[in-house]
Amino acid sequence: MSERSAPGMAFWEDAAEDEAHQRYRTLLRTIGDGIFQLDVEGRFVAVNDVIAELTGYAYDELLGEGIADVLDTDGSAIEREIERLRTNPAEQSGLLEVPVRTADENLVLCEIRVNPFDEDESLRGAVGTVREISRRDRTELDWRKQHREFEYEGESYEITRDLQESEERLRLALQAGELGMWELDLQTRESPVRSPQHDRIFGYEQPREEWSFEIFLEHVHPEDREFVEHSFEEAFETGTWEFDCRITRADEEQRWIAAQGEFYYDTDGEPVRAIGVVQDVTEQKENEKYLEDAKSRLEAATEAGAVGTWEWHVPDDRIVVGASFADQFGIDPDAAREGVPLEQFVSSIHEADRERVREKIETAVETCGEYEAEYRVRNADDELRWVVARGHVECDENGNPLTFPGTLTDITDRKRAELEAENQSRQLETLFQVLPVGAVVADGDGTLLKANDVAEEIWGGDVFDAESVEEYDKYSAVWADTGEPVDPEEWTMAQVLRGESVTDPNVYEIHAFDGERRIIMEHGKPVRNAAGDVIRAIVTLTDITERKTYEQRLEESNERLEQFAYAASHDLQEPLRMITSYLELLERRYGDDLDEDAEEFIGFAVAGADRMREMIDGLLDYARVDTKGEPFEPVDLDGVLDETLDTLRMKIDESGAEIAAESLPRVRGDETQLRQLFQNLLSNAMEYSGDGAPRIRVEAERVGETWAVAVRDEGIGIDADEQDRVFDVFERLHGREEHPGTGIGLALCERIVERHGGEIRVESEPGEGTTFTFTLPAV
């Protein structure tokens, strides 16, 4: 240590130092702060190697120099702090942030803490610590290694201060810093010696009377306890320990500490004592966590489309960005790395957004505030992209803007999704308003959210201003089929809010607020979230007053038609039976006396009576489609077709017909009437097949909530101007001599299909065949 010797430190290096001396020497080696001692004139009389390394001066250059000339560029801040503490010894040591000028003329920002010491009220000097702010995250282990190297390079020093005085000054230095020292007797596992700062780190305002390794472990977080014990066990082999762990202080506060230390051995090599330091590093850990989170956020931002960062040097109007950032604005990356005027970037912004962005930039610069803007920009490929820019303006103490750093993120995908969602929302809102039916939406808690114009017209005014469906009791209604009052729990909305889907509509008769009585039909469906809870209830309303009136009139007409058909069948059947009976009697009694013409005339009369009877029976079937039908239920059309083919088996065999069918669906309907429908259509197809054997195909196709069933033949077809007449009652397109029949079969088919809520149509070309297609409700 000849060139780097520090005579002021000689009291640490005497070969004859006692055990206490060695303990404090070891402690000094483990301290990461620079430590100094001043005389009464403010000159260095002792420094450690941290200060030498920090300043770049040799140790012999530091000793004897004034602290203001070396550490204090202000020239007086440290002297004022010493004077303040000397005159007010009860006050705590102050922490100064001072720029220190090094030997190579660099400035290093440091924290300096000083404590004066006196004797008989006379100032004898001061001790203190120095810490470089930019190196707070360096571990004490790094410093200790540097200290060890320094110690072994030099030679032993002469003690220049009384040992007791030196130990006292070191104690004051420890009190001025953030380190807590403790000594552990490995035989008793107790700690008889600790610095006041040690106990304060563990949350004790006053020093504890007792301390031991077990008490220390009680403070250690349970999840770290095993790790700490293992670290001490390893220290028996290595001689040193170093670790970070969490502790629970006496005031229940959770903190992080860093611990370091060494073991000391007896002459037999057995460890007898341990000396260590602890330091509260919670702030450092939080900073590390913050940096880690910031890094994660930055990585996430990059993955999410972050383009990069910028820094605008405001006074000389020079904005510096990376290549990807420049590319986003269509600017030469090489020029952007050197810096270009801000206007080059602003001019690339979409003209509709440009002025708004300029105003935001100007406001941030004028106020030294935050900046955030969302806008469109054309990149190097002339593609329009959406970006969001965020930054803040840094100003000097006079409020003059210096730099304007920030980040840019590409949000094109997100913005397109938002715009698409807004567009869909507008479309849905428009659709909601133009629906031909009324629509009402409620929240999952029953709050009425909206109703369209049709719903308000049905109820005769703006009646959906209620806050909740609980106010439904103000709406007056009865069940349309029974006339019984509708209970509040029976409203469609109440059912849907309970999670029910109302597909079989509720039909009410309401007394609307405009004084009219209307019959309405309501359907409803709940909307659920991922957990299955009802979050919306949607109800549609249809005014079916006119339809119900029509149905009522139709029902009355059907009743009158049935009465007529019954009367006709009853009143006409008897005369027809009489005519037929007397003709048959005449033929049996006088058959031998009748010539051929008379027998032919009698045959014509009997055949006419039979046709009249068939027509009356057909008319009666036609009239009774609605009144004598069975309730609708699921019907398998494959089974219906098979039964129909069995019924027509003789006719099929006689005609040589080939009937092919796809697999047919299940529908809701009256099985008996559907069997009649297939029988009439298949019979009709075989009758009008022409000269060849009938070729018939039956197939089905799903159309929304219905099935469309088609019966196709390759027969003689129907002229276009005659197709509208085929479903009329008693309408015949051919003479009875060519094709017998009553003229009611297709009319009956139409009536059956209409009862099932469907429709039937015909498509045909003369000579190319005919297709009858009808719709039935799907199951």
Side-chain angles (χ1 to χ4, degrees):
M1 296 177 59
S2 57
E3 293 184 0
R4 299 171 61 186
S5 61
M9 297 291 289
F11 55 87
W12 302 123
E13 298 297 337
D14 189 89
E17 62 191 359
D18 61 14
E19 183 178 306
H21 182 182
Q22 183 173 336
R23 289 204 303 270
Y24 285 104
R25 179 176 63 82
T26 300
L27 181 60
L28 182 61
R29 291 206 313 268
T30 65
I31 294 176
D33 295 343
I35 296 179
F36 61 84
Q37 176 188 338
L38 306 176
D39 61 15
V40 70
E41 300 298 329
R43 295 186 296 266
F44 287 119
V45 295
V47 294
N48 68 353
D49 55 323
V50 178
I51 294 179
E53 180 179 296
L54 175 66
T55 61
Y57 291 104
Y59 294 95
D60 53 357
E61 293 177 328
L62 289 173
L63 296 176
E65 293 293 325
I67 187 172
D69 298 326
V70 178
L71 299 184
D72 191 356
T73 56
D74 185 298
S76 59
I78 295 177
E79 293 179 355
R80 288 197 302 269
E81 180 67 9
I82 294 173
E83 181 61 24
R84 182 182 70 83
L85 295 171
R86 189 186 67 80
T87 56
N88 300 281
E91 293 188 9
Q92 293 292 322
S93 173
L95 185 64
L96 305 176
E97 285 193 1
V98 175
V100 173
R101 189 177 302 279
T102 65
D104 54 4
E105 294 299 317
N106 288 322
L107 289 178
V108 179
L109 186 61
C110 296
E111 288 180 349
I112 299 179
R113 191 187 299 269
V114 294
N115 269 17
F117 62 91
D118 54 28
E119 183 175 317
D120 299 329
E121 299 183 356
S122 297
L123 182 66
R124 298 190 58 190
V127 294
T129 60
V130 181
R131 170 177 292 188
E132 180 183 349
I133 292 178
S134 61
R135 295 185 180 178
R136 284 176 176 170
D137 59 340
R138 296 185 61 175
T139 66
E140 285 77 10
L141 180 60
D142 294 332
W143 295 116
R144 191 176 67 201
K145 289 178 180 178
Q146 295 166 13
H147 298 166
R148 195 181 298 270
E149 292 168 1
F150 167 72
E151 175 189 348
Y152 294 151
E153 285 180 3
E155 54 194 51
S156 60
Y157 303 134
E158 178 182 357
I159 297 179
T160 58
R161 292 290 186 273
D162 178 78
L163 181 59
Q164 182 178 358
E165 180 181 313
S166 298
E167 291 180 350
E168 176 63 18
R169 290 169 185 169
L170 180 58
R171 183 184 63 81
L172 292 173
L174 286 169
Q175 291 177 341
E178 298 178 357
L179 299 175
M181 183 276 292
W182 63 299
E183 178 181 322
L184 180 67
D185 187 326
L186 297 180
Q187 300 297 323
T188 63
R189 297 175 68 89
E190 293 181 353
S191 177
V193 177
R194 299 183 311 280
S195 68
Q197 179 65 10
H198 174 277
D199 289 4
R200 283 196 293 269
I201 288 175
F202 285 86
Y204 298 100
E205 292 299 328
Q206 301 297 327
R208 280 182 58 105
E209 293 183 2
E210 296 179 354
W211 190 263
S212 65
F213 186 72
E214 282 67 27
I215 295 175
F216 166 70
L217 286 179
E218 290 175 1
H219 283 276
V220 175
H221 192 284
E223 294 181 5
D224 295 346
R225 203 165 289 161
E226 183 177 350
F227 157 71
V228 169
E229 290 179 316
H230 180 68
S231 298
F232 273 106
E233 290 174 0
E234 287 188 336
F236 280 95
E237 299 295 331
T238 63
T240 63
W241 70 84
E242 179 180 358
F243 58 82
D244 296 349
C245 70
R246 293 166 291 178
I247 64 168
T248 302
R249 289 164 38 106
D251 54 10
E252 300 300 327
E253 184 180 0
Q254 302 287 324
R255 306 291 290 179
W256 275 92
I257 65 167
Q260 301 175 36
E262 293 186 0
F263 283 134
Y264 289 90
Y265 304 85
D266 59 19
T267 56
D268 296 328
E270 293 296 326
V272 294
R273 183 178 291 104
I275 296 179
V277 292
V278 293
Q279 183 178 9
D280 189 321
V281 293
T282 305
E283 181 180 351
Q284 176 184 323
K285 288 290 185 180
E286 290 174 350
N287 290 338
E288 291 173 356
K289 181 66 166 60
Y290 175 80
L291 291 174
E292 182 179 345
D293 293 343
K295 180 182 178 182
S296 299
R297 289 194 297 269
L298 180 60
E299 291 174 351
T302 302
E303 293 177 0
V307 175
T309 61
W310 83 78
E311 185 166 19
W312 179 31
H313 299 271
V314 182
D316 54 358
D317 188 21
R318 184 171 56 88
I319 183 169
V320 179
V321 304
S324 61
F325 193 119
D327 183 70
Q328 190 77 346
F329 284 80
I331 294 176
D332 178 42
D334 293 334
R337 273 192 290 266
E338 296 298 324
V340 298
L342 176 67
E343 186 58 31
Q344 287 195 29
F345 288 91
V346 176
S347 62
S348 298
I349 297 174
H350 191 282
E351 55 273 12
D353 302 334
R354 195 175 299 150
E355 191 58 35
R356 172 173 57 84
V357 174
R358 278 201 183 102
E359 291 176 359
K360 284 180 174 287
I361 293 174
E362 291 172 0
T363 300
V365 171
E366 291 172 0
T367 61
C368 295
E370 301 294 322
Y371 162 78
E372 181 172 346
E374 195 175 280
Y375 53 86
R376 290 158 290 179
V377 63
R378 291 197 178 277
N379 62 16
D381 298 326
D382 200 34
E383 180 185 9
L384 197 64
R385 307 291 294 179
W386 276 96
V387 298
V388 60
R390 297 183 178 89
H392 66 279
V393 178
E394 298 174 346
C395 298
D396 61 17
E397 58 185 10
N398 296 320
N400 299 313
L402 299 177
T403 59
F404 188 166
T407 62
L408 188 80
T409 303
D410 188 321
I411 59 169
T412 304
D413 292 342
R414 188 192 79 190
K415 198 65 181 180
R416 286 172 179 169
E418 290 176 356
L419 293 175
E420 179 64 21
E422 291 176 6
N423 185 45
Q424 291 182 2
S425 178
R426 285 194 298 270
Q427 291 177 351
L428 289 174
E429 183 64 26
T430 301
L431 177 62
F432 183 77
Q433 291 299 336
V434 301
L435 281 173
V437 298
V440 182
V441 180
D443 208 342
D445 61 2
T447 303
L448 290 173
L449 298 179
K450 62 171 64 177
N452 66 358
D453 295 340
V454 177
E456 294 177 359
E457 290 174 4
I458 290 174
W459 275 95
D462 186 9
V463 298
F464 294 99
D465 56 353
E467 293 184 358
S468 172
V469 295
E470 294 178 355
E471 299 183 31
Y472 259 42
D473 55 0
K474 73 179 183 181
Y475 303 137
S476 174
V478 297
W479 290 99
D481 55 348
T482 65
E484 295 292 327
V486 178
D487 188 82
E489 294 299 314
E490 296 176 323
W491 281 104
T492 307
M493 180 64 78
Q495 292 177 264
V496 174
L497 287 171
R498 292 195 298 268
E500 304 173 22
S501 293
V502 181
T503 54
D504 289 333
N506 292 324
V507 182
Y508 311 120
E509 181 179 339
I510 65 171
H511 188 191
F513 285 75
D514 58 3
E516 297 291 330
R517 284 195 171 274
R518 296 188 176 90
I519 299 176
I520 64 173
M521 176 176 65
E522 290 190 345
H523 295 77
K525 191 172 185 64
V527 178
R528 303 177 184 272
N529 60 17
D533 301 322
V534 177
I535 58 173
R536 291 285 189 278
I538 302 174
V539 172
T540 60
L541 306 82
T542 307
D543 185 346
I544 60 172
T545 306
E546 293 183 2
R547 187 168 80 186
K548 277 295 183 181
T549 301
Y550 169 77
E551 290 176 354
Q552 185 175 358
R553 291 174 181 172
L554 182 62
E555 185 177 349
E556 293 172 353
S557 175
N558 287 336
E559 290 177 356
R560 289 194 294 270
L561 179 60
E562 184 179 359
Q563 291 173 358
F564 164 75
Y566 176 78
S569 65
H570 184 271
D571 294 342
L572 294 178
Q573 289 283 8
E574 185 60 31
L576 286 174
R577 281 195 297 271
M578 183 180 295
I579 292 171
T580 303
S581 298
Y582 277 108
L583 288 173
E584 292 175 349
L585 178 61
L586 182 63
E587 185 179 18
R588 286 197 303 271
R589 181 172 295 182
Y590 302 105
D592 294 338
D593 299 329
L594 298 176
D595 58 15
E596 292 182 1
D597 289 339
E599 290 182 353
E600 184 178 5
F601 294 155
I602 291 174
F604 287 156
V606 171
D610 290 340
R611 286 197 300 275
M612 176 65 77
R613 185 179 298 108
E614 290 176 0
M615 292 174 66
I616 292 173
D617 290 340
L619 182 62
L620 189 60
D621 289 339
Y622 181 84
R624 290 176 172 177
V625 166
D626 288 315
T627 58
K628 297 300 182 181
E630 297 294 330
F632 287 179
E633 59 185 11
V635 177
D636 184 356
L637 289 186
D638 277 331
V640 170
L641 180 60
D642 289 342
E643 293 178 7
T644 303
L645 295 178
D646 288 341
T647 301
L648 297 174
R649 180 58 55 194
M650 184 178 294
K651 189 171 184 177
I652 293 172
D653 292 341
E654 290 177 353
S655 65
E658 294 182 6
I659 301 176
E662 295 181 350
S663 177
L664 299 180
R666 298 174 74 238
V667 298
R668 285 182 58 81
D670 181 337
E671 184 174 352
T672 301
Q673 290 184 349
L674 295 180
R675 194 180 303 115
Q676 181 69 53
L677 173 64
F678 274 101
Q679 183 174 326
N680 288 0
L681 291 175
L682 292 174
S683 296
N684 196 70
M686 287 187 284
E687 180 66 33
Y688 295 96
S689 62
D691 297 333
R695 299 290 184 270
I696 303 169
R697 182 171 182 82
V698 183
E699 54 194 22
E701 179 184 5
R702 183 67 180 257
V703 181
E705 298 298 320
T706 66
W707 283 98
V709 182
V711 178
R712 308 180 189 276
D713 65 53
E714 301 175 2
I716 62 176
I718 306 172
D719 290 337
D721 56 355
E722 294 179 339
Q723 291 176 10
D724 292 338
R725 299 191 294 124
V726 297
F727 297 112
D728 294 342
V729 178
F730 299 138
E731 188 66 51
R732 297 180 54 82
L733 304 183
H734 304 276
R736 290 188 179 87
E737 293 77 11
E738 296 179 77
H739 300 286
T742 62
I744 295 180
L746 291 177
L748 183 60
C749 290
E750 183 181 50
R751 194 77 186 278
I752 291 173
V753 171
E754 288 178 347
R755 187 201 169 204
H756 286 74
E759 58 181 20
I760 187 171
R761 66 180 185 276
V762 60
E763 299 176 20
S764 183
E765 289 288 339
E768 299 294 333
T770 302
T771 299
F772 286 93
T773 303
F774 56 91
T775 58
L776 297 172
V779 174

